[in-house]
Amino acid sequence: MTTVLTQPIEEVVSTLVEAFAQTASERDKKGGTAKAERDLLRKSGLLRLHTDNWTDILAITRQIAKVDSSLAHLFGYHFLCRASVELYGTAEQVEKFRQQTIANDYFWGNAFNPLDTHVQATRIDDAWYINGTKSFCSGASDSDCLLISAQKPNGAGPLIAVIPTSRAGITTQNDWDAFGQRQTDSGNVTFDQVIVYDDEILDAYEAGDSNLFATVRTHIAQSVLIHVLLGTAEGAFEAAQHYTRTQTRPWVTSHVATATEDPYYIQHYGQLFVKLQASDALVAVANEKLNDTWAQKQAITTAQRGECSIAVATAKVQVVETALDVTSRVFQMMGARATSAKYNFDRYWRNVRTHTLHDPIDYKIRDLGNYTLNDQYPEISAYS
């Protein structure tokens, strides 16, 4: 991993996680932009990390998610947007944007979804101009760079570019009002005659079947969210353990002295522990496949991409089912008093539930079934 940090990465991450944990619950209640915490990430140097080692980036994402899944989401998406330059741009663009990010501790935001046709691009003289509103723009508020997409005229395909968030005509709406992931700033961004220069456009490789490397973006996006979800589940599990040990009373007919002796609490914790361990094992396999696939660059084969798809989909299904179960079932081991608003324990479930609705695992299970029964890899998608 090529970057310069003033402390070992583990110490930097530990310090950040401790700081985020102090305010995570109250900030969840308030929503909006976590400006102070985003600035801590900028100052930490972690935003400069190189995208050649996804295992480390995803591990940091998971650690942050244990205490704050919104900031974990933003951290992971920062690298997803940066990686998109390598997937769609030139080597010169990769180096230019990397150097800008390192020199200025830029935080990247997302206004990218080529399947969303609400933003249009028009060519005028020697530049493009984009107009319209893009939804689900995670991290756009308080970002320094935006990865954007817009539709070219006459079905000519998407325009993909990286532009400064401060450019004239860009308005981040700050209208994200979901009940979970409340500080991801995933609302709308409006573009009003925003200029895009040719050297900002990422068009070195045609996305699609002819460029398998570009389609690896979907694996990165899936992997980021997998680690956000697993980290959130682990955070809920650890919070519940502490509460059960220190606050929960044994059920009146259990005939035991403490909650930690209650046979049903013990059973639930054991079952959830197994699910978390299984998730961890499958995520490790998916991480290895992603790293191997990324390392191949334009040399990857259909089979290599397909095997990565299967590993990531398998991990996704396990993690989603585990995270939903853990964040809901922990209340059975904590008891009725744990539902008090002062604890805000429901934020773990709200965050997981919000994330999992964006990408139903029913379709992942279908893909895995087709793979096992019909030897078919999942359909190739250039964008995610």
Side-chain angles (χ1 to χ4, degrees), residues 192-242:
D192 182 9
Q193 204 65 0
V194 175
I195 190 170
V196 179
Y197 300 105
D198 286 342
D199 65 351
E200 298 171 325
I201 297 172
L202 310 180
D203 61 358
Y205 305 106
E206 186 67 26
D209 292 350
S210 61
N211 177 25
L212 285 175
F213 184 52
T215 71
V216 175
R217 188 179 193 277
T218 188
H219 301 140
I220 299 170
Q222 291 289 318
S223 296
V224 167
L225 298 185
I226 287 170
H227 285 75
V228 172
L229 291 168
L230 182 53
T232 306
E234 290 171 330
F237 190 77
E238 291 173 8
Q241 283 177 297
H242 177 75

Side-chain angles (χ1 to χ4, degrees), residues 222-294:
Q222 291 289 318
S223 296
V224 167
L225 298 185
I226 287 170
H227 285 75
V228 172
L229 291 168
L230 182 53
T232 306
E234 290 171 330
F237 190 77
E238 291 173 8
Q241 283 177 297
H242 177 75
Y243 187 91
T244 300
R245 290 166 176 161
T246 60
Q247 301 291 328
T248 304
R249 302 173 184 176
W251 189 245
V252 63
T253 58
S254 66
H255 306 300
V256 295
T258 66
T260 57
E261 299 172 290
D262 188 299
Y264 294 106
Y265 295 164
I266 291 172
Q267 178 180 347
H268 286 303
Y269 273 115
Q271 289 173 336
L272 295 182
F273 176 77
V274 170
K275 290 190 172 187
L276 288 168
Q277 291 296 105
S279 295
D280 178 73
L282 289 172
V283 163
V285 173
N287 286 350
E288 183 177 358
K289 289 288 187 182
L290 177 63
N291 270 332
D292 291 345
T293 303
W294 178 264

Side-chain angles (χ1 to χ4, degrees), residues 25 44 77 80 99 117 134 177 185 200 204 206 292 360 375:
S25 179
S44 73
Y77 263 45
L80 171 65
Q99 291 296 339
T117 60
K134 186 77 70 176
D177 64 352
D185 297 300
E200 298 171 325
E206 186 67 26
D292 291 345
D375 296 320

